[in-house]
Amino acid sequence: MKKVCICFLGLLLASLAAPAFAGVLPFDTSEYAARRARLMAQIPDGVAVIWGSVTGPQNNEFTYFCGVQVPRAILIIDGIRKENLLFYTTNENYLKGEGLGVELARDPKAATGVERYYPVEQFSAVLSRLAAQTRVIYTPFKAEAAFAESVSFNEWDGRPTRELQFVKLLKERFPQVEVRDCSETIWEIRRIKTPAEIEVLRKAGRIGVQAMIEVMKAGRPGQYEYELSSLFEYVCKREGCRNLAFDVIISSAENHPYLHYAQHNRKLVDGDFLVFDAGPEFQDYDVDITISFPINGKFSPRQREIYEACNEVSKACLSLYKPGISGYEIGEKVKEMLKEKGYDLTKDAFTRLRFFKEGGLTHHVGLATHDAGGADLVYGAPLKPGQVFASDVFAVFAGENLGVRVENTILVTETGCENLTPGIPREISEIEALMKTGRAAQPGKK
Ligand code: GLY
Ligand code: MN
């Protein structure tokens, strides 16, 4: 998921003008320095140890703080001496073999912007020295993926996570030191996106929207789901993405109850209604989008009823997101707005909608689709500027082979919100018109 982004244009420009190493990391080194400084400010009494992944792709925590994709790298953020120490292998051939920039070998400090570089073999010696001078060692106790399943919870396994094994060894080897969890501190930082991250998320959003529009234009009865999932992936990759945020989810007919159905194996027939949930990953950042549409390009009365309800709730939510408001407050206000518009909220098209009462708040979005920090969004906490989350409203009508979902990726701004996935035809008339255009462009196809 998190692979190095070597910007060749950046390298070319860098060869013409200082700084010499621009482009080795996805962001300028000053961006990573600012992120590390935010954690450093919160650990004035200790040092934080952050491990990179054993093999590629790099984990998100490590990617966030230094962007270096070299396997088995380690970062120490020293809150006492106010400096950062980075450990990784700088064998040029090894880095070339991994497809990583050789600049990381030639001058690690210049390439990464981290003040102190050490070969990874020196980590234990350096940590022992620091432990002798430090009262607290911070490290993330929790596995960084928000919904990571751990072997710890398997009754036939029970091994500690990598994080907890490190905690155990720290306590054994440095009994005089207090070992503290900094997962929540890191997630708190990661939940507020920086301007540089927002720019990348906007670009990811634009690509995702373009791909969704092409899917809607191309969709017609007789296709297999894999034709549409491949088209989405093709457009994202054509526009510069290395990966998708997650396997494209297509639910249709009897598969609507399976919210993460990604088999792509149904042949679509006249009358099918699709929930198409997907997102690109652009320069390590994900967006999350869902569209719902009839494969034949024309909503039936029932499809129209359930889609309109879902879309009205979604639109009302988007009009209300702003700093300070909670999901539950949004949910209550949306009810009032829809009643004023004359909707009957006792109809099943509304009562079956999930995340209506939470104002559509589901999960943070960023380096992961379900980004660090988990479920704090949906439990009534006020929104904060800089948060990026999925606004998602959906319902399943299993008995009718129907489902519906409207999902956008949203940024909370200082005064309201910005839809990072704007411009998708969401009104029924817009969807039908777009699909008609698609058919007109390919008259030979059914
Ligand atoms: N959009 C897919 C999910 O959030 O699970
Ligand atoms: Mn989602």
Side-chain angles (χ1 to χ4, degrees):
M1 187 169 52
K2 306 305 165 204
K3 299 188 185 74
V4 74
C5 172
I6 301 169
C7 171
F8 289 107
L9 182 61
L11 287 174
L12 180 66
L13 294 174
S15 67
L16 304 174
F21 293 99
V24 176
L25 307 180
F27 293 101
D28 192 88
T29 54
S30 61
E31 168 76 9
Y32 299 103
R35 296 176 186 181
R36 290 189 295 271
R38 288 176 70 190
L39 180 57
M40 193 180 275
Q42 298 200 49
I43 54 163
D45 53 350
V47 301
V49 182
I50 297 169
W51 283 85
S53 297
V54 176
T55 59
Q58 189 54 282
N59 71 57
N60 292 335
E61 228 80 289
F62 201 86
T63 295
Y64 184 79
F65 283 115
C66 75
V68 169
Q69 304 295 310
V70 183
R72 293 180 295 278
I74 309 158
L75 175 69
I76 295 182
I77 298 179
D78 186 337
I80 299 169
R81 282 153 287 265
K82 310 289 179 223
E83 60 182 12
N84 301 281
L85 296 71
L86 184 55
F87 304 76
Y88 64 88
T89 302
T90 52
N91 179 304
E92 232 177 81
N93 286 334
Y94 169 72
L95 292 178
K96 271 190 200 154
E98 295 288 312
L100 304 172
V102 290
E103 291 77 6
L104 291 167
R106 291 184 188 153
D107 191 343
K109 286 185 213 173
T112 65
V114 177
E115 299 88 330
R116 286 175 176 272
Y117 160 78
Y118 298 87
V120 73
E121 295 74 21
Q122 291 182 25
F123 171 70
S124 296
V126 173
L127 184 63
S128 299
R129 181 169 53 74
L130 286 174
Q133 305 162 1
T134 301
R135 205 171 51 76
V136 186
I137 295 181
Y138 293 88
T139 194
F141 283 23
K142 299 191 182 80
E144 56 117 11
F147 299 102
E149 272 193 353
S150 162
V151 288
S152 317
F153 301 120
N154 182 327
E155 62 176 314
W156 292 103
D157 191 321
R159 283 174 298 171
T161 57
R162 185 175 180 230
E163 289 77 8
L164 290 181
Q165 177 66 6
F166 180 57
V167 169
K168 179 171 166 277
L169 292 178
L170 283 175
K171 287 179 177 172
E172 279 170 20
R173 292 176 188 176
F174 310 122
Q176 79 285 3
V177 170
E178 183 188 344
V179 185
R180 274 192 212 153
D181 184 9
C182 63
S183 298
E184 190 48 46
T185 312
I186 291 175
W187 292 351
E188 194 70 45
I189 294 168
R190 280 182 53 190
R191 281 198 283 258
I192 305 299
K193 270 49 181 188
T194 67
E197 289 181 290
I198 291 166
E199 222 18 78
V200 171
L201 283 159
R202 274 195 194 110
K203 175 81 185 174
R206 282 198 289 276
I207 294 171
V209 168
Q210 190 176 343
M212 286 297 188
I213 288 174
E214 294 200 28
V215 164
M216 257 195 270
K217 278 168 84 170
R220 64 208 67 218
Q223 284 170 326
Y224 276 89
E225 290 172 343
Y226 58 72
E227 295 179 64
L228 294 181
S229 59
S230 316
L231 176 61
F232 184 87
E233 183 164 355
Y234 166 71
V235 175
C236 291
K237 292 192 169 173
R238 185 190 73 201
E239 298 303 316
C241 297
R242 300 268 223 97
N243 294 299
L244 297 186
F246 51 91
D247 276 351
V248 174
I249 296 165
I250 306 179
S251 304
S252 61
E254 67 274 16
N255 298 326
H256 277 293
Y258 312 114
L259 295 176
H260 288 170
Y261 193 81
Q263 300 294 318
H264 312 149
N265 56 357
R266 266 198 79 245
K267 187 170 185 174
L268 299 164
V269 298
D270 201 2
D272 278 345
F273 194 71
L274 267 66
V275 168
F276 191 104
D277 181 349
E281 180 184 291
F282 181 71
Q283 289 183 358
D284 292 330
Y285 284 80
D286 297 343
V287 291
D288 196 0
I289 309 171
T290 308
I291 57 174
S292 304
F293 62 99
I295 195 66
N296 64 11
K298 198 94 193 119
F299 285 73
S300 72
R302 180 61 168 157
Q303 290 167 357
R304 183 174 285 272
E305 182 189 17
I306 63 161
Y307 181 83
E308 185 176 326
C310 186
N311 193 43
E312 285 297 320
V313 170
S314 172
K315 278 193 299 184
C317 290
L318 260 64
S319 74
L320 293 167
Y321 296 135
K322 62 174 183 188
I325 196 165
S326 75
Y328 290 131
E329 286 166 344
I330 295 165
E332 287 305 309
K333 283 190 197 237
V334 170
K335 275 187 211 151
E336 293 312 312
M337 287 167 73
L338 295 184
K339 275 188 210 151
E340 272 169 35
K341 277 182 144 182
Y343 286 105
D344 177 358
L345 300 190
T346 64
K347 289 194 153 181
D348 71 341
F350 288 102
T351 58
R352 302 277 281 268
L353 284 175
R354 289 276 315 274
F355 293 106
F356 183 173
K357 83 172 179 333
E358 294 90 352
L361 303 187
T362 50
H363 53 87
H364 299 276
V365 179
L367 281 168
T369 309
H370 290 188
D371 206 23
D376 67 313
L377 272 178
V378 291
Y379 294 113
L383 292 177
K384 293 183 194 155
Q387 284 178 333
V388 172
F389 63 87
S391 167
D392 188 5
V393 187
F394 63 88
V396 172
F397 302 85
E400 301 172 73
N401 277 357
L402 264 181
V404 64
R405 188 165 200 157
V406 174
E407 184 177 30
N408 291 289
T409 302
I410 302 296
L411 163 72
V412 184
T413 62
E414 291 297 329
T415 53
C417 77
E418 175 183 335
N419 185 354
L420 296 171
T421 49
I424 297 174
R426 292 289 194 189
E427 297 302 321
I428 290 174
S429 58
E430 292 171 345
I431 295 171
E432 290 186 343
L434 178 75
M435 294 186 72
K436 205 168 162 187
T437 317
R439 277 161 176 68
Q442 286 187 295
K445 298 254 175 120
K446 266 216 280 179

